[in-house]
Amino acid sequence: MSNTPSKAAASAGARAVALKNALVERELIPEGYIEKFTEIMENDFDPANGARVVARAWVDPAYRELLLRDGTAACDQFGYTGVQGEYIVALENTPTLQNVIVCTLCSCTAWPVLGLPPDWYKSFEYRARVVRESRTVLREMGLDLPPEVEIRVWDTTAETRYMVLPFRPAGTEGWTEQELASLVTKDVLIGIARPEVPVNGSRADQA
Ligand code: FE
């Protein structure tokens, strides 16, 4: 029996439509529910949100303290709340400590601040290997950390949703929050990358 990816995808799509129709027929979901949720998933759950949180923490010590003490409250100050953001815990990197997030069970991430998980994050390979050979996996993903940097891998639990708080890179003195936020990507928030200042030193909004 052939089962090419395209056929599998079409089959999954057909099943989704059939499931939706069955739920609508039985009045188990309100009118517009799926459309509204899809819109939130596509537009509101964005790693740019987490980047704004990080940038604020870099420039405001009181906010940084709150973020590390009560990540949910800190994210709520921006309105970044909701599904998969009920209990956010920020993990602070230092020059000698790199935190990395995984969900070994499935794919849990803090949607409101990180966005939806990338495909590699959901892969069996990442979930299995980042735990037992994190340094090698990070190197393969482009983050070659020197031996003195400790790597700490955090496995998402049923409730906890992590975000990595990277340390502010050198050479960003005087940058605005918006400029700082431009350095923070989804990969940085997951912990498989570190913020990098462009080699020419130019700020994002001056490019
Ligand atoms: Fe999960």
Side-chain angles (χ1 to χ4, degrees):
M1 193 178 87
S2 90
N3 191 21
T4 61
S6 61
K7 281 185 179 171
S11 165
R15 286 201 302 274
V17 170
L19 179 60
K20 180 194 169 188
N21 290 341
L23 290 168
V24 170
E25 274 171 27
R26 289 163 181 74
E27 298 182 350
L28 291 171
I29 50 172
E31 181 73 30
Y33 173 83
I34 290 177
E35 291 74 11
K36 177 68 187 161
F37 199 70
T38 303
E39 191 189 310
I40 291 173
M41 298 269 255
E42 288 177 352
N43 301 322
D44 294 356
F45 295 152
D46 188 341
N49 296 346
R52 284 185 206 102
V53 169
V54 168
R56 176 68 52 84
W58 282 346
V59 302
D60 181 344
Y63 184 81
R64 175 178 159 277
E65 190 274 327
L66 173 65
L67 178 63
L68 294 172
R69 179 165 46 82
D70 185 344
T72 316
C75 292
D76 187 32
Q77 287 197 0
F78 284 89
Y80 304 149
T81 58
V83 183
Q84 300 285 312
E86 294 88 352
Y87 182 49
I88 295 174
V89 173
L91 309 166
E92 186 179 35
N93 282 354
T94 72
T96 56
L97 172 65
Q98 180 70 29
N99 294 289
V100 183
I101 305 168
V102 64
C103 177
T104 56
L105 193 63
C106 44
S107 59
C108 301
T109 36
W111 291 353
V113 281
L114 266 67
L116 299 182
D119 285 342
W120 58 259
Y121 183 91
K122 297 185 274 189
S123 71
F124 287 115
E125 192 182 4
Y126 176 75
R127 285 155 47 199
R129 291 184 61 222
V130 79
V131 178
R132 57 174 199 262
E133 47 177 344
S134 50
R135 198 170 296 272
T136 304
V137 170
L138 292 189
R139 191 184 306 121
E140 289 171 3
M141 298 180 91
L143 183 61
D144 194 2
L145 293 170
E148 63 269 22
V149 176
E150 179 193 346
I151 300 170
R152 210 171 282 169
V153 179
W154 297 77
D155 191 6
T156 305
T157 68
E159 290 87 21
T160 310
R161 296 292 173 267
Y162 296 111
M163 63 171 283
V164 171
L165 172 58
F167 62 91
R168 182 171 173 168
T172 59
E173 295 74 17
W175 286 32
T176 65
E177 276 186 55
Q178 198 182 346
E179 290 164 347
L180 290 168
S182 73
L183 302 176
V184 182
T185 63
K186 184 180 294 199
D187 287 355
V188 167
L189 294 164
I190 293 173
I192 61 132
R194 287 181 156 189
E196 285 184 24
V197 178
V199 178
N200 63 9
S202 70
R203 299 180 188 182
D205 68 348
Q206 292 176 346

